[in-house]
Structure formats: C-alpha cells, structure tokens
Amino acid sequence: MSLPPLLRDRLRLPAIGAPLFIVSNPALVIEQCKAGIVGSFPALNARPEPVLEEWLTRISAELDVWQKSHPEQKVAPYAVNQIVHASNSRLQHDIDVCVKFKVPIMITSLRAPDEVVAAAHSYGGLVFHDVTNIAHAKRALQAGVDGLILVCTGAGGHAGRLSPFALVPEVREFYDGTIILSGAIASGDAILAAEAIGADLAYIGTRFIATQEANASDAYKQTLVESRAEDIVYTNLFTGVHGNYLRASIAAAGLDPDNLPTADKSAMNFGSGSSRREKAWRDIWGAGQGAGQIHDVPTTAELVARLEREYRAARARVGIAA
C-alpha cells in the first residue's frame, strides 16, 4: 500500500467514509474515526459559517478523549471536504478555519485545489482530490495533492463514467502515490477488490447513509434498504453535473425518472443553490449502485465491524494471510 505516514497503522480497514452533503455530521464522523476508518464531512454541511468551528472543536475533542481512554484501539484521522468552485463563497473562510484547527485531511472536489494544497501543507495536512478522468488526475497532481480519489461509474452523487478496471490501471501508469477508489463499494469484499486492482483505500459513501448516526430522514434510509442498482438514475438535471440519484425520490418530486431533461453545466451552484423547486440532496436523494447491498440501518460501529469481518473472510477466501 502507498499510504502517507499520517494513515499508516491508524486504520482498522483501508477505507474512508466519504463526505455526504447534508448527511455527514459530527456524530457520524466521530463514530467512523472511532471505528478505525477515516470519517469526513463537507465543510458546507456546517451552517452558518461559525458552526464549522463548533463541529471541529467537538470532533477533535471527542476523538482525543476516546484515543486516550482506548490506547489499544486504532482511531483514524478525520477529513473535511472543500468544494473548490466559484459559487462557493465560503471557500476561503472554510480553508482558514481548517488551517486553524490543523485538520488532518482535506478532501477537495471540482476545480484543481492549488490554494487548498498550499494551506494544508503549511501545517503538514494532506489533500486528496476527486477526479473522474485522466486529465483531471494529472492537473490535480500538478497542484501537489497527496492522493487521488478516483470517482468511477456507480458512485453516489457526482459520479464518473469510467469503470474502475479502466481508470485505476491507467492512473497507475503515471502515479505511484495514494489512490482512493469510489464506486458502488458497500461490502468488505468490495474493499478487497479495490486493493486488488491497485487502489490503496476504498471510498464508501452510500452505505453510511443507512446508519443510525447519519443525518438522513428515515424515509431516505428506508428507500436505500428497498432499492437495487437498477433504481439508480444518472442525470445532470439537478446540479448541472452528472450524478446518481434514487429513482423513488425523483418520482416523489413529480418527475419522470425515465424522461428527464438535461441541464447546462453552468447551472451548478454551491452558493444559493439552483433555481429548481426540487433540490439535489434535500429532495432528490443521492445514492450509488451499491444500494442493492444495503438491507438494514445499523450503527456505524456495527457496520464497520461487519465490513471488517467481510474483508477478512474475503482475504481468506482468496488465500491471503490475515
């Protein structure tokens, strides 16, 4: 594995809990880190702006207390997602707050994160950047990121079109650093599969929406339990960028999931939001194709323990020593 020192010997599983817009909150992040995987949240989830400091204070303090009282356990670092986009008027504020707290990892999305890299590296923090193709991967590396998150087909939210079996090997041709793989990963078997094709870490989002700590409605969680891969709709209508959403939530908003218009990319807005009555993430629920593997709503601790059992069983099944 090609992991930065910050992550070595601090993970129970080679996994990151992906930042989930609206859904990720301090309770979820803390439980993910306590369970031994990186927990993360979008900075924009902490609203209004002063709430970001409150969240970081709580997360830092609770994880510090937990580690001191459980020195034998692996407690993972946490991460904050920054949306690097012109419409995100909070970006500089949120970066400054993360620098103040020396946030261990910043996860960046959309535009190349030059300014975020400079800020994080000023105190020794890491930056992992979302990419969906080779051009974006190379541009992110030019910015000096510490790892690439390859967002492949089947991922929840803003997903790419490429198979991981295509994108991971192509990136490995020119990059030997940390690769995090995203796309329908919802089991311990899938975590091992991500490693087998050349990734260092699995990026798991949708599966954590259906946990007790997640800030998602009971209806959202139950819809995930009832959905399958065929119930995921790939469209750019709601944000201007293609993403995966639950069919049932689109229908509930009075739209035909099989006959959606397309939107212009300029419609993307992380400030006031789009002008549509139906709002992505609030009314139109994001989800990946791994939804078909979700059958219950456990605690985060229970889910990570299950993922570890599945991961170890998968390793044993293919003859890899524990």
Side-chain angles (χ1 to χ4, degrees):
M1 296 176 68
S2 177
L3 291 181
L6 175 67
L7 293 176
R8 292 174 194 161
D9 300 319
R10 294 189 63 183
L11 299 178
R12 179 179 179 183
L13 280 172
I16 294 176
L20 303 162
F21 191 54
I22 300 178
V23 171
S24 296
N25 58 12
L28 178 60
V29 172
I30 290 166
E31 289 305 307
Q32 288 172 326
C33 294
K34 285 166 56 177
I37 70 168
V38 174
S40 68
F41 71 93
L44 291 175
N45 279 11
R47 297 171 185 255
E49 292 180 7
V51 174
L52 181 58
E53 290 207 30
E54 296 174 13
W55 283 20
L56 293 177
T57 298
R58 176 185 169 186
I59 290 169
S60 301
E62 291 194 27
L63 290 179
D64 184 59
V65 169
W66 179 263
Q67 182 67 91
K68 288 178 179 177
S69 59
H70 299 81
E72 76 289 352
Q73 294 189 12
K74 294 181 184 293
V75 178
Y78 68 92
V80 176
N81 175 218
Q82 305 287 1
I83 304 298
V84 187
H85 191 264
S87 67
N88 181 9
S89 59
R90 283 183 45 168
L91 180 59
Q92 191 57 55
H93 166 272
D94 292 345
I95 292 173
D96 292 342
V97 172
C98 287
V99 170
K100 175 181 176 180
F101 280 82
K102 296 184 178 180
V103 168
I105 303 167
M106 283 198 257
I107 293 171
T108 50
S109 308
L110 300 180
R111 182 168 54 82
D114 299 79
E115 65 267 55
V116 182
V117 170
H121 287 181
S122 71
Y123 60 85
L126 302 176
V127 177
F128 296 149
H129 187 65
D130 283 357
V131 302
T132 59
N133 57 47
I134 295 297
H136 292 164
K138 290 183 175 180
R139 177 62 183 88
L141 293 176
Q142 289 177 0
V145 300
D146 303 285
L148 297 172
I149 302 168
L150 307 188
V151 185
C152 294
T153 185
H158 292 138
R161 298 175 182 270
L162 296 177
S163 164
F165 293 100
L167 189 55
V168 174
E170 287 194 25
V171 172
R172 276 291 180 222
E173 288 182 2
F174 59 85
Y175 180 59
D176 61 1
T178 302
I179 287 180
I180 303 112
L181 180 59
S182 171
I185 298 175
S187 68
D189 302 69
I191 294 173
L192 181 60
E195 290 184 301
I197 63 171
D200 300 291
L201 298 166
Y203 204 57
I204 308 173
T206 301
R207 187 59 191 88
F208 282 101
I209 299 173
T211 57
Q212 293 182 23
E213 293 83 2
N215 181 38
S217 68
D218 290 341
Y220 189 174
K221 295 176 184 181
Q222 184 59 34
T223 301
L224 281 171
V225 170
E226 296 170 356
S227 296
R228 298 294 178 262
E230 64 186 14
D231 297 313
I232 305 302
V233 177
Y234 190 63
T235 176
N236 75 343
L237 175 62
F238 304 108
T239 67
V241 172
H242 276 87
N244 281 317
Y245 304 93
L246 283 168
R247 172 180 293 272
S249 67
I250 297 173
L255 300 169
D256 181 357
D258 297 313
N259 189 30
L260 295 174
T262 58
D264 191 285
K265 191 172 183 178
S266 63
M268 182 176 242
N269 190 307
F270 288 92
S272 60
S274 74
S275 60
R276 293 194 59 84
R277 176 175 58 85
E278 311 87 5
K279 301 293 185 183
W281 325 124
R282 185 195 69 186
D283 307 307
I284 310 298
W285 298 330
Q289 292 176 3
Q293 300 169 58
I294 297 174
H295 306 296
D296 60 357
V297 184
T299 66
T300 298
E302 290 169 342
L303 176 56
V304 174
R306 181 189 304 168
L307 291 172
E308 182 184 27
R309 290 193 300 271
E310 293 171 347
Y311 175 73
R312 294 192 180 283
R315 288 175 60 94
R317 188 167 60 247
V318 297
I320 302 175

